[in-house]
Every structure is written in structure tokens, then in C-alpha cells.
Amino acid sequence: MNPQDAEPREARSAEDGQELLLRWRVGIRTLHIGHNLAGEAFDKWARVTGVASAVIGSIVGTAIFASLAASTRVEIRIATGVASLVAAGLSTAQLIWNYPQLAQRHKCAAVKYGTLRRRTEEILAGPPASSATLQDVSRIWEQVEDIAPPLPERFRRRARYMMDVADRKMIGPQPAAKTGPPNNRPANLPKP
């Protein structure tokens, strides 16, 4: 007979529920950190494409006036044409990728995952979770997933890496293996 078979069914399902919540906490934590990272990254790209578009647009405008004024050199006209295409491309990219809105959606998802993460940790800190509590967490998680934008895999991988590093720091360095006799007693060495 297996020892688990001797346990009451309620005890096993409570342990299963706690184990399930522990696994969910890892997934929720990953999504919370990943969406924070994505929000920060897309904010950065919004600034980069916005500033680059403005700078290149200004250069193109100035170059057009300069080339029209006095230049008959083909190289300057070609450079001006290429710069104007790059400026137009950056402006189009801003419209298509819509980094500011994407960053905001990831930040909103991160806040909701953070709330769900804290709720899950509160449940884990208390008595074993009931079936109704597990269903409540599952329902809230599904609601958050419905509004959250897809999380690119690179942010998910980076979140897992950051979690591993943080978990290793929390555990701390492992003690070195002791060499020599146990309990710090002097070794009984044979006499010469």
C-alpha cells in the first residue's frame, strides 16, 4: 500500500492545491516580470524611433533647402533622398508598431499580474487553499490573459533568467564541503 493512499482525500487535495498554487506562482511571476520588461523596452523603442524620426526629418528639411540653394552635386541630392526615405520609414514604423500604446498595454498587464501574484502569495501564506479559491485564482488569471498583449519569448526568457538569479541570491552561497574529521575533533593520527 502506498503511503499516500493512507492519507485522507481532503489532505491530499489540499496538498495538491498548494502544489498547484506554487506552480502557478512561478508562471504568474514570470509573466509579471516579463510584461514589466516588455513595457520598459517598448517605451525605450518609442523614444528611440520618435527622436530618430524627428532628428532625421530636421536634417532632411535642412538638406533640402541647402541642396536647392546652391548644390549641383549628385551625392548631396542622393544623400538627401535616402535620408528622407529613412525619416518616412521611421514615421511609418511608429504608426505601424505603435510602441507607446504597446508599452502601455504591457505595463497594464504587469500591474494586473502583480496583483494576482500578491494574491497568490497571500493564499500560499495562509491555510491550504480551497477548491473555490483555486477556481477564483484561475478565473482572475484568465481575465488578465484576455487583456494582456502577447509576451514575446525574449522577455519571457529574460524574466526566467532574472528569477533564477534572484532565487540564487536569496538562497545564498552554499557552505564549502568540510574536509577532515567530523565535529571538529582532532584526527587520530598514528604516532611515528
Side-chain angles (χ1 to χ4, degrees), residues 156-175:
R156 193 180 304 262
R157 278 193 311 268
R158 188 165 165 214
R160 285 188 197 121
Y161 173 77
M162 290 173 70
M163 289 167 44
D164 289 343
V165 169
D167 289 346
R168 276 187 255 132
K169 284 183 181 178
M170 286 178 60
I171 294 171
Q174 298 298 317

Side-chain angles (χ1 to χ4, degrees), residues 2-187:
N2 191 346
Q4 289 180 339
D5 294 337
E7 294 178 28
R9 182 178 179 151
E10 297 81 27
R12 279 191 311 208
S13 57
E15 288 174 10
D16 291 345
Q18 292 299 95
E19 183 64 34
L20 180 62
L21 272 175
L22 286 169
R23 286 194 311 259
W24 283 0
R25 182 181 62 175
V26 171
I28 293 167
R29 184 178 172 205
T30 303
L31 292 167
H32 177 214
I33 293 169
H35 280 287
N36 269 323
L37 293 171
E40 291 171 5
F42 290 128
D43 256 350
K44 176 183 148 192
W45 279 108
R47 287 190 304 274
V48 166
T49 57
V51 168
S53 178
V55 168
I56 293 174
S58 298
I59 292 170
V60 167
T62 305
I64 287 174
F65 283 118
S67 67
L68 290 176
S71 181
T72 56
R73 296 181 61 191
V74 175
E75 298 88 9
I76 292 177
R77 290 182 183 170
I78 291 174
T80 303
V82 168
S84 67
L85 289 175
V86 170
L90 283 173
S91 297
T92 303
Q94 280 184 303
L95 290 172
I96 292 172
W97 292 321
N98 200 4
Y99 286 132
Q101 182 185 14
L102 191 55
Q104 190 59 36
R105 289 181 61 208
H106 279 289
K107 288 178 180 180
C108 180
V111 168
K112 292 190 181 297
Y113 277 118
T115 302
L116 181 59
R117 176 182 171 182
R118 284 185 295 283
R119 174 73 177 122
T120 304
E121 289 169 351
E122 288 171 359
I123 294 167
L124 284 167
S130 67
S131 174
T133 303
L134 292 173
Q135 289 175 353
D136 186 46
V137 170
S138 177
R139 181 184 51 77
I140 294 169
W141 193 349
E142 287 173 8
Q143 289 172 349
V144 174
E145 281 185 343
D146 285 344
I147 63 143
L151 184 63
E153 184 60 32
R154 69 180 185 269
F155 297 115
R156 193 180 304 262
R157 278 193 311 268
R158 188 165 165 214
R160 285 188 197 121
Y161 173 77
M162 290 173 70
M163 289 167 44
D164 289 343
V165 169
D167 289 346
R168 276 187 255 132
K169 284 183 181 178
M170 286 178 60
I171 294 171
Q174 298 298 317
K178 290 186 176 182
T179 56
N183 301 329
N184 296 327
R185 287 187 232 148

